[in-house]
Amino acid sequence: MKKLVVLISGNGSNLQSILDACASGRINGSVAAVFSNKASAYGLTRAREAQVPACYLDASAFADRAAFDCQLMQEIDAFSPDLVVLAGYMRILSPQFVAHYQDRLLNIHPSLLPKYPGLHTHRQALENGDTQHGTSVHFVTDELDGGPVILQAKVPIFAGDTEEEITARVQHQEHAIYPLVIGWFLEGRLVMRDNRAWLDGAPLPAQGYASD
Ligand code: GRF
């Protein structure tokens, strides 16, 4: 069975959707381990409840980012994952880490990339008066939130919406699309080649599958 390792920093609702999809067979694979850079991350509790090893690494115990990531890579590799999944992992990755997991490292970012890379995406969409927002699953490259997009889900923004309402609407979509994409990858349907995402042998457009 194919194996994933999931990296988190917080609540882990996306992790939960992945665990649930593995349990129900919607993902043909299993979560071998969960790593967090925050001891208090609720996602670690979710992992333990699913009988998945829950590992915490304290960045303050390391000299620099490269040393932390080096240890993280060693611990991840002990589980021999086919795919490494970032799910709300709020730490910048070293170039060594990105290179090590090249072509098998996914992230979910809460905006319609290339719009709003970085933080506070929901607030920006609201403040800019956007009527449409969403989330993107993409391969990770050295460019922050800049790797090839695989799949996006769009949500409307209604007059009077709060940031919390938009966040919930986006997360609802995230919980549907992230397990779907992970399933594609583990089935061998999705690959990254020549800095592009390919699904079923065809390159995906810049905005990912089924973009209009
Ligand atoms: C998600 O909205 C994801 O897009 C972003 O961080 C959030 C993590 O939420 N990268 P959770 O920890 O999965 O609940």
Side-chain angles (χ1 to χ4, degrees):
M1 173 158 320
K2 295 277 175 76
K3 288 191 284 186
L4 331 166
V5 162
V6 183
L7 272 55
I8 60 161
S9 301
N11 178 30
S13 67
N14 279 283
L15 166 66
Q16 190 67 58
S17 73
I18 295 164
L19 289 166
D20 293 348
C22 290
S24 71
R26 274 185 299 127
I27 291 177
N28 189 9
S30 65
V31 179
V34 172
F35 285 86
S36 173
N37 65 321
K38 297 279 179 213
S40 61
Y42 181 62
L44 290 172
T45 303
R46 296 179 190 271
R48 284 186 209 104
E49 282 175 357
Q51 276 83 51
V52 169
C55 317
Y56 160 60
L57 238 63
D58 178 5
S60 69
F62 296 87
D64 54 23
R65 188 177 305 285
F68 176 86
D69 276 4
C70 184
Q71 178 67 25
L72 181 59
M73 282 187 267
Q74 279 183 30
E75 296 198 20
I76 291 173
D77 288 350
F79 293 96
S80 315
D82 298 282
L83 175 67
V84 176
V85 171
L86 309 178
Y89 184 64
M90 300 302 285
R91 229 182 116 76
I92 291 174
L93 302 169
S94 62
Q96 293 89 335
F97 188 98
V98 174
H100 186 71
Y101 297 108
Q102 196 186 355
D103 304 344
R104 55 183 177 122
L105 184 57
L106 296 179
N107 184 40
I108 189 158
H109 179 78
S111 78
L112 296 172
L113 289 170
K115 217 169 181 183
Y116 308 137
L119 298 173
H120 309 305
T121 57
H122 307 307
R123 194 180 312 160
Q124 290 184 72
L126 200 54
E127 286 174 359
N128 288 338
D130 293 358
T131 54
Q132 183 174 254
H133 185 44
T135 185
S136 307
V137 179
H138 64 96
F139 280 109
V140 175
T141 62
D142 269 332
E143 195 188 333
L144 181 71
D145 301 321
V149 171
I150 301 157
L151 185 60
Q152 296 186 321
K154 294 174 182 160
V155 302
I157 296 182
F158 302 112
D161 269 348
T162 63
E163 199 176 325
E164 291 70 31
E165 284 166 324
I166 296 168
T167 304
R169 201 171 296 142
V170 168
Q171 286 220 326
H172 185 73
Q173 295 299 321
E174 292 190 329
H175 302 158
I177 69 168
Y178 214 3
L180 183 66
V181 171
I182 291 167
W184 290 345
F185 186 92
L186 294 184
E187 288 160 23
R189 296 178 55 193
L190 172 71
V191 294
M192 178 151 118
R193 199 165 65 229
D194 305 329
N195 207 40
R196 289 187 82 164
W198 295 65
L199 183 67
D200 297 331
L204 292 174
Q207 312 282 173
Y209 180 74
S211 58
D212 50 23

